[in-house]
Amino acid sequence: MSARDTQRVVLHRDQAEVEFSRIVAFSDGVFAIAITLLVLALEIPPDVDIGDALRDRGAEFFAYFLSFAVVGRFWMAHHRIFGSIARFDTNLVIVNLAYLAFIALVPFTSEVLGNYSDDSTGVAIYAANLTAVSLISWTMIRYSYTRGLMREEAEEFRVRFAGAGAFVVAGVFALSIPLAFLSPTLAMISWASLFVLGDRVVDRLTGVRKPT
Amino acid sequence: MSARDTQRVVLHRDQAEVEFSRIVAFSDGVFAIAITLLVLALEIPPDVDIGDALRDRGAEFFAYFLSFAVVGRFWMAHHRIFGSIARFDTNLVIVNLAYLAFIALVPFTSEVLGNYSDDSTGVAIYAANLTAVSLISWTMIRYSYTRGLMREEAEEFRVRFAGAGAFVVAGVFALSIPLAFLSPTLAMISWASLFVLGDRVVDRLTGVRKPT
Amino acid sequence: MSARDTQRVVLHRDQAEVEFSRIVAFSDGVFAIAITLLVLALEIPPDVDIGDALRDRGAEFFAYFLSFAVVGRFWMAHHRIFGSIARFDTNLVIVNLAYLAFIALVPFTSEVLGNYSDDSTGVAIYAANLTAVSLISWTMIRYSYTRGLMREEAEEFRVRFAGAGAFVVAGVFALSIPLAFLSPTLAMISWASLFVLGDRVVDRLTGVRKPT
Amino acid sequence: MSARDTQRVVLHRDQAEVEFSRIVAFSDGVFAIAITLLVLALEIPPDVDIGDALRDRGAEFFAYFLSFAVVGRFWMAHHRIFGSIARFDTNLVIVNLAYLAFIALVPFTSEVLGNYSDDSTGVAIYAANLTAVSLISWTMIRYSYTRGLMREEAEEFRVRFAGAGAFVVAGVFALSIPLAFLSPTLAMISWASLFVLGDRVVDRLTGVRKPT
């Protein structure tokens, strides 16, 4: 045991649980704030015809509810990941921060999507944001499995969550970036199909069913 | 026991409590943020007559305090619901997210109400938001009772919270949407009467008194 | 024991601790969000002379740090109050929500103070906000003592926190409202003296020293 | 034992743990909110060329990710500090609030940096903010060691965290203020080198390696 290892233990071992739950609570905080800030994209100035204003904002309401569902879904996944992690190291904390940086960016890209839903670039930037989130998520899971940070019970799902087949979510989001330049609508349909079919496809590809 | 059931158990059983409290904490976070964001609807530009500006904003202050009371009241109810729930499943998490999407929308509809309190559409959109919240809340309670997610002690209140009589809150909010087109003021009075009389009416209709 | 009392016990007794800590966590959330939203009052548009812009915003920076100190101080007091409370009832939850409604209002009145620090009305509205907070705080403490919600160890501080002498904080804030119309500066000085001398004056008036 | 000491004990001793975790949770809340509010600096108005708008905002995206990393890094350090603290007093709570006031200020100075990254004053104000945070952080650590608030296991790191060598982080940020007036770019490079080399330099200067 090197001096470094000893030091590493000193401040962590007996309080690891408190610190771990602080990381989880901090992540949940960022999720909760980001999801609630989505509403700030919706704004109606005073002294306009309110009926007209609401009708004009169809795409903004769509972006609000879509992003609420997307961030909510990522939160549930994050939930499951950190429920399966038993130990953590500094790298995991840093990767988790990078992950949160892109979650916290969603209120911005969602507002862009609401204002530019017919515009290829507007849709592509939203797709790029979700690609970054799912790519870092996949990296985080792989890293946790590789470094033995996962609970032992999670081992049987290794192929399901850290295998190549699990890359499909990030892959679809990534492909929807160029797709947005062909047709913004098609890109959005590809996200919707992820919601409906994503789990089933990954289950099939990896041969292991996602635990519910 | 199917393979599916086994998998379902693996990651949940021993950490259910941690995960459940994470869901509750996340919900509380969204409530706390949404209720605090209400203040962003209040704004006075620099370099105006501040006395006049304050007088002009009567309806905005009214909307702020009304919405603080409304969101606070929903938080207390959510509090009671989740205090009675013993188990949860993925569906409940999803319905709870849908519920939170409409709680997080209140800062927007409240700002609309403040700016358009004399306008039928402005009042109706606020009413529609509250209708959605109370409808999903009622669905969430019914679902929890039906699937056996509730604590056993909560059984005696089943009729009170999941019965048809409990629908009255969502019903009054729903009726206040068309009412707003007859008279915005009358719609607001119907909400106020819910605050004052709601519990008593539901107690009477269901024949069971709400626990305090 | 009436039927009502029995019902009151059912859902509360065995989970009171969880629910109580949820109330405290919710309050802390509102405090944390309100104190962090203060920064939104500070804004410098792009494409101006940044040095000039900063110099012009002296009053806004003053309002930011003053309000951070004020909300922080109220948080510490709230901290102490709820640390001394052993039980709670629905009324306390409602009064606490009213308290939080005025804490969450500070980002607005603080922005007004920053923009209108030379204006009697601007200073008076900030004073009115702090008066409301300290008045409700005092009511909340009195109520908790009267209804036996306090821990027994807190009894010896009853005179200190719930007595007439403890009213001095709310009283000084209240008096600073008319004072602002004589001189905005004098009103601010009265708040500063509360910070420096407040505790000592109340200690003297009530004959009991505040626990630290 | 003076009367004062007795009083000091009464409300704290048996609930210190709850109160301490409330302080930590409150700090985490402010960190999570401040880091998530960074996104509000990013805004693209409707009806512009979105591609052009994105290209023009390079500096704003840079400021967003830099500040996310900076606040995240400070959060990790705060994490470590409070993980090593065993006891607290009122002074520590107040210094911690002062610390948080400058953390909560980052969304403002970060927005300034994004809009004025070529401007010496714009860069200097960001540097001044980070100087304040790291200076107060260093003070907080020194205070905790001096007053015996630290866990005993933390004693061996006293030189590393509370010694003169640990001052180097605050020192580099402080020096980058005048440096910004020579060259804004050079000031930013000095921050980047802190990220990459900071820990190693302080390890060397103090002769004790930072625990990971």
Side-chain angles (χ1 to χ4, degrees):
Chain A
M1 210 180 202
S2 73
R4 182 101 208 180
D5 286 341
T6 322
Q7 286 183 17
R8 189 186 297 243
V9 173
V10 170
L11 290 176
H12 277 236
R13 175 76 54 84
D14 66 339
Q15 56 196 117
E17 217 164 313
V18 172
E19 301 221 348
F20 189 66
S21 72
R22 243 190 113 179
I23 294 168
V24 170
F26 181 79
S27 307
D28 280 359
V30 171
F31 271 107
I33 300 155
I35 215 170
T36 316
L37 289 184
L38 292 171
V39 77
L40 299 185
L42 301 171
E43 247 180 311
I44 292 179
D47 303 315
V48 300
D49 183 300
I50 175 92
D52 288 353
L54 286 173
R55 265 184 296 280
D56 286 354
R57 272 159 184 76
E60 293 181 29
F61 283 105
F62 166 76
Y64 172 76
F65 286 107
L66 173 71
S67 298
F68 208 98
V70 163
V71 175
R73 181 89 182 216
F74 278 124
W75 172 70
M76 285 169 70
H78 190 270
H79 204 131
R80 206 184 47 231
I81 300 170
F82 275 77
S84 305
I85 288 178
R87 286 161 291 279
F88 69 99
D89 60 16
T90 304
N91 286 339
L92 184 65
V93 177
I94 290 170
V95 177
N96 188 45
L97 277 173
Y99 175 89
L100 294 175
F102 285 97
I103 287 291
L105 197 60
V106 174
F108 166 69
T109 53
S110 175
E111 186 167 7
V112 169
L113 181 70
N115 287 333
Y116 296 93
S117 55
D118 302 332
D119 185 305
S120 297
T121 315
V123 175
I125 198 175
Y126 190 77
N129 191 353
L130 302 192
T131 305
V133 173
S134 46
L135 209 59
I136 301 176
S137 170
W138 188 67
T139 309
M140 197 152 64
I141 297 172
R142 279 186 80 88
Y143 179 83
S144 301
Y145 270 111
T146 312
R147 297 299 168 105
L149 306 177
M150 285 287 187
R151 294 174 191 280
E152 298 191 0
E153 306 92 290
E155 192 54 44
E156 59 173 309
F157 298 108
R158 185 175 190 140
V159 170
R160 176 64 180 76
F161 291 119
F167 185 74
V168 79
V169 176
V172 171
F173 281 132
L175 286 174
S176 76
I177 302 176
L179 196 61
F181 289 95
L182 283 175
S183 153
T185 311
L186 233 60
M188 291 192 218
I189 290 173
S190 75
W191 308 337
S193 56
L194 258 192
F195 257 85
V196 180
L197 299 171
D199 279 348
R200 235 169 296 174
V201 171
V202 183
D203 284 359
R204 190 68 62 87
L205 281 171
T206 57
V208 183
R209 286 175 81 173
K210 188 179 107 172
T212 49
Chain B
M1 209 180 203
S2 73
R4 181 102 211 179
D5 284 342
T6 323
Q7 286 183 16
R8 190 187 295 243
V9 174
V10 171
L11 291 175
H12 277 234
R13 176 77 53 84
D14 66 337
Q15 56 196 116
E17 217 164 313
V18 173
E19 301 221 349
F20 188 67
S21 73
R22 241 190 114 179
I23 294 168
V24 170
F26 181 79
S27 306
D28 280 359
V30 171
F31 271 109
I33 300 154
I35 214 170
T36 317
L37 289 184
L38 291 171
V39 76
L40 300 184
L42 301 172
E43 247 179 312
I44 292 178
D47 304 316
V48 300
D49 183 300
I50 175 91
D52 287 354
L54 285 173
R55 264 184 297 279
D56 286 354
R57 271 157 185 79
E60 292 181 28
F61 282 106
F62 167 76
Y64 172 76
F65 286 107
L66 172 72
S67 298
F68 208 97
V70 163
V71 175
R73 181 89 182 216
F74 278 123
W75 172 71
M76 286 169 70
H78 190 270
H79 203 132
R80 205 184 48 231
I81 300 171
F82 276 77
S84 305
I85 288 178
R87 285 163 292 279
F88 69 99
D89 60 17
T90 304
N91 286 338
L92 184 64
V93 177
I94 290 171
V95 177
N96 188 44
L97 276 173
Y99 175 89
L100 294 175
F102 284 97
I103 288 291
L105 197 60
V106 174
F108 166 69
T109 52
S110 175
E111 185 167 8
V112 169
L113 181 71
N115 288 332
Y116 296 93
S117 55
D118 302 332
D119 184 306
S120 297
T121 314
V123 175
I125 197 175
Y126 189 77
N129 192 353
L130 302 191
T131 305
V133 173
S134 46
L135 208 58
I136 301 176
S137 170
W138 187 67
T139 309
M140 197 151 64
I141 297 172
R142 279 187 79 89
Y143 179 82
S144 301
Y145 271 112
T146 312
R147 297 298 167 105
L149 306 177
M150 284 288 187
R151 293 175 191 281
E152 296 190 4
E153 307 93 289
E155 192 55 41
E156 59 172 310
F157 297 108
R158 187 175 189 140
V159 170
R160 175 64 180 77
F161 290 119
F167 185 74
V168 78
V169 176
V172 170
F173 281 131
L175 285 175
S176 76
I177 301 176
L179 196 59
F181 289 95
L182 282 176
S183 153
T185 311
L186 231 62
M188 292 192 218
I189 289 173
S190 75
W191 308 336
S193 56
L194 259 193
F195 258 85
V196 181
L197 298 172
D199 279 348
R200 232 168 299 173
V201 171
V202 184
D203 284 358
R204 190 67 64 86
L205 281 172
T206 58
V208 184
R209 284 174 82 172
K210 188 179 107 173
T212 48
Chain C
M1 211 182 203
S2 72
R4 180 102 208 177
D5 285 342
T6 320
Q7 287 185 14
R8 190 186 296 244
V9 173
V10 171
L11 290 176
H12 276 236
R13 175 74 55 82
D14 65 338
Q15 56 196 117
E17 218 163 312
V18 172
E19 301 222 348
F20 188 66
S21 73
R22 243 190 113 178
I23 294 168
V24 170
F26 181 80
S27 306
D28 280 0
V30 171
F31 271 108
I33 301 155
I35 214 170
T36 316
L37 289 183
L38 291 171
V39 76
L40 299 185
L42 301 171
E43 248 180 310
I44 291 179
D47 304 315
V48 300
D49 184 299
I50 176 91
D52 287 354
L54 286 172
R55 264 184 296 280
D56 286 354
R57 272 158 184 78
E60 293 181 27
F61 283 106
F62 167 76
Y64 173 75
F65 286 107
L66 172 71
S67 297
F68 208 98
V70 163
V71 175
R73 180 90 182 214
F74 278 124
W75 173 70
M76 286 169 70
H78 190 270
H79 203 133
R80 205 183 48 230
I81 299 171
F82 275 77
S84 305
I85 288 178
R87 285 161 293 277
F88 70 98
D89 59 16
T90 304
N91 286 338
L92 184 64
V93 177
I94 290 170
V95 177
N96 189 44
L97 276 173
Y99 175 89
L100 293 175
F102 284 97
I103 287 291
L105 197 60
V106 174
F108 166 69
T109 53
S110 175
E111 185 167 8
V112 169
L113 181 70
N115 287 331
Y116 295 93
S117 55
D118 302 332
D119 185 304
S120 297
T121 314
V123 175
I125 196 175
Y126 190 78
N129 191 353
L130 302 191
T131 305
V133 173
S134 46
L135 208 59
I136 300 177
S137 170
W138 187 67
T139 309
M140 197 152 62
I141 297 172
R142 279 187 79 90
Y143 179 82
S144 302
Y145 271 112
T146 311
R147 296 298 169 104
L149 305 178
M150 285 288 189
R151 292 174 192 280
E152 296 191 2
E153 308 92 289
E155 192 54 42
E156 59 173 308
F157 297 108
R158 186 176 191 138
V159 169
R160 176 63 179 76
F161 290 119
F167 185 74
V168 79
V169 176
V172 170
F173 281 131
L175 285 174
S176 75
I177 302 176
L179 195 61
F181 289 95
L182 282 176
S183 152
T185 312
L186 231 62
M188 291 191 220
I189 290 172
S190 76
W191 308 336
S193 56
L194 258 193
F195 258 84
V196 181
L197 299 172
D199 279 348
R200 231 168 300 173
V201 171
V202 183
D203 283 358
R204 190 67 64 86
L205 280 172
T206 59
V208 183
R209 286 174 82 172
K210 188 180 107 172
T212 47
Chain D
M1 211 181 202
S2 74
R4 181 101 208 178
D5 286 341
T6 321
Q7 286 183 16
R8 188 186 296 243
V9 172
V10 170
L11 290 176
H12 276 236
R13 177 75 55 83
D14 65 339
Q15 56 195 117
E17 217 163 312
V18 173
E19 301 221 347
F20 189 65
S21 72
R22 244 190 112 178
I23 294 168
V24 170
F26 181 79
S27 307
D28 280 359
V30 171
F31 270 109
I33 301 155
I35 214 170
T36 316
L37 289 183
L38 291 170
V39 77
L40 298 185
L42 301 171
E43 248 180 310
I44 291 179
D47 304 317
V48 301
D49 183 300
I50 174 93
D52 288 354
L54 285 173
R55 265 184 297 280
D56 286 355
R57 272 159 184 77
E60 292 181 28
F61 283 105
F62 167 77
Y64 172 76
F65 286 106
L66 172 71
S67 298
F68 208 98
V70 163
V71 175
R73 180 91 182 214
F74 278 124
W75 172 70
M76 286 169 69
H78 190 270
H79 204 133
R80 206 184 46 233
I81 299 171
F82 276 78
S84 305
I85 288 178
R87 284 162 292 280
F88 69 98
D89 60 16
T90 304
N91 286 338
L92 184 64
V93 177
I94 290 170
V95 178
N96 188 45
L97 277 174
Y99 174 88
L100 294 175
F102 284 98
I103 288 290
L105 197 60
V106 174
F108 166 69
T109 53
S110 176
E111 185 167 8
V112 169
L113 181 71
N115 287 331
Y116 295 92
S117 55
D118 302 331
D119 185 304
S120 297
T121 314
V123 175
I125 197 175
Y126 190 77
N129 191 352
L130 302 191
T131 305
V133 172
S134 45
L135 208 59
I136 300 177
S137 170
W138 187 68
T139 309
M140 198 152 62
I141 297 171
R142 279 187 79 89
Y143 178 83
S144 300
Y145 270 112
T146 313
R147 295 300 168 104
L149 305 178
M150 284 289 187
R151 292 175 191 280
E152 296 192 2
E153 307 92 289
E155 192 54 43
E156 58 173 308
F157 297 108
R158 186 178 190 136
V159 170
R160 175 64 180 76
F161 290 119
F167 185 74
V168 79
V169 176
V172 170
F173 281 131
L175 286 175
S176 76
I177 302 176
L179 196 60
F181 289 96
L182 283 176
S183 153
T185 312
L186 232 62
M188 292 192 218
I189 290 172
S190 76
W191 308 336
S193 56
L194 257 193
F195 257 84
V196 181
L197 298 172
D199 279 348
R200 233 169 297 173
V201 171
V202 183
D203 284 358
R204 191 67 63 86
L205 281 171
T206 58
V208 183
R209 286 174 81 172
K210 188 180 107 172
T212 48

